[in-house]
Amino acid sequence: QSVLTQPPSASGTPGQRVTISCSGTYSNIGSNAVNWYQQFPGTAPKLLIFTNHQRASGVPERFSGSKSGKSASLVINGLQSEDEAIYYCATWDDNPTGRVFGGGTSLTV
Amino acid sequence: QEHLQPWGAGLLKASETLSLTCSVYDGSLSGYFWIWIRQPPGKGLEWIGEISHRGGTNYNPSLKSRVTISVDTSKNQFSLEMTSMTAADTALYYCVRGVYDAYSGYADYWGQGSLVTVSS
């Protein structure tokens, strides 16, 4: 059971907009910044979004992140087939202290 | 770009101790913190712990009694020791670079995973 809650799956067709949610509590998302990672099968995760909404180097502008209260969202505009991957949200938890992840959302395009 | 290369024994028996080291190539340990994260086959990510280049540590409360993370700046590497391994610890173990920010930092660059299998 992951500390952060993500839907296990999401889907869309090419060109669509997809939103992946990540919910937590006051001690984690409510008090800290959220980061998003993208993982393709057989490869290490890659940083996508840091500090809630900052895109990592080389990440296309169609990826965006936001945070409000105890929830965060990853939005992919203009979905492409190469976006098919698993997406994880992550943040720091103040109680108990430590880095926590969502269970991951498998995106199908 | 830095390259993180983990190495260590990949096959353990239950109750043995895991020892993994991550060499950091083409970069320096200073200015960053260094993280171990694991991923059981087909499952999600679990933070094990992290260390600053000066040696300050934070551990996952659920693993803290079994985990030691250390850093060797002279060799540009950091290490993970986990005692009393069981089959439930079978996973890909990633060494990851952490970046400081205005909050609690974040993992930005992931090395390749090192598969650790524990047989009972």
Side-chain angles (χ1 to χ4, degrees):
Chain A
Q1 192 82 356
S2 301
V3 173
L4 306 179
T5 301
Q6 297 181 238
S9 63
S11 63
T13 56
Q16 274 190 332
R17 170 185 165 121
V18 166
T19 300
I20 297 173
S21 63
C22 174
S23 64
T25 66
Y26 177 78
S27 69
N28 45 62
I29 293 180
S31 302
N32 294 284
V34 176
N35 311 298
W36 290 89
Y37 300 90
Q38 177 189 56
Q39 185 178 33
F40 296 108
T43 69
K46 176 190 129 181
L47 178 67
L48 212 57
I49 300 287
F50 64 96
T51 318
N52 301 323
H53 60 87
Q54 305 284 343
R55 273 185 300 277
S57 176
V59 174
E61 289 185 8
R62 53 201 181 78
F63 289 90
S64 63
S66 64
K67 190 191 96 164
S68 178
K70 296 177 285 184
S71 294
S73 296
L74 174 70
V75 174
I76 309 173
N77 284 300
L79 199 59
Q80 297 185 6
S81 58
E82 58 259 37
D83 298 333
E84 192 162 285
I86 299 176
Y87 293 85
Y88 293 93
C89 59
T91 189
W92 181 264
D93 203 323
D94 293 333
N95 185 21
T97 57
R99 234 160 268 286
V100 292
F101 289 92
T105 298
S106 179
L107 175 64
T108 301
V109 181
Chain B
Q1 175 68 296
E2 284 178 337
H3 176 64
L4 306 181
Q5 179 67 52
W7 48 278
L11 183 60
L12 298 172
K13 295 179 182 177
S15 79
E16 289 185 336
T17 295
L18 169 68
S19 291
L20 289 177
T21 296
C22 186
S23 295
V24 180
Y25 297 103
D26 300 323
S28 170
L29 293 181
S30 64
Y32 300 97
F33 60 98
W34 303 92
I35 313 168
W36 288 98
I37 292 169
R38 68 180 181 179
Q39 184 172 35
K43 295 189 178 180
L45 303 167
E46 181 180 32
W47 175 74
I48 299 171
E50 59 197 43
I51 190 166
S52 73
H53 74 277
R54 290 195 173 97
T57 54
N58 276 305
Y59 297 125
N60 185 322
S62 68
L63 299 171
K64 187 173 184 177
S65 64
R66 300 168 52 209
V67 170
T68 302
I69 296 175
S70 58
V71 65
D72 187 336
T73 53
S74 67
K75 295 181 179 178
N76 230 36
Q77 60 190 29
F78 61 105
S79 299
L80 168 68
E81 270 204 358
M82 186 180 295
T83 61
S84 305
M85 296 287 282
T86 71
D89 296 311
T90 292
L92 261 178
Y93 285 72
Y94 291 104
C95 54
V96 187
R97 185 180 72 179
V99 174
Y100 294 104
D101 65 2
Y103 298 89
S104 299
Y106 56 91
D108 80 326
Y109 181 69
W110 299 59
Q112 66 181 71
S114 179
L115 180 62
V116 175
T117 303
V118 184
S119 65
S120 50

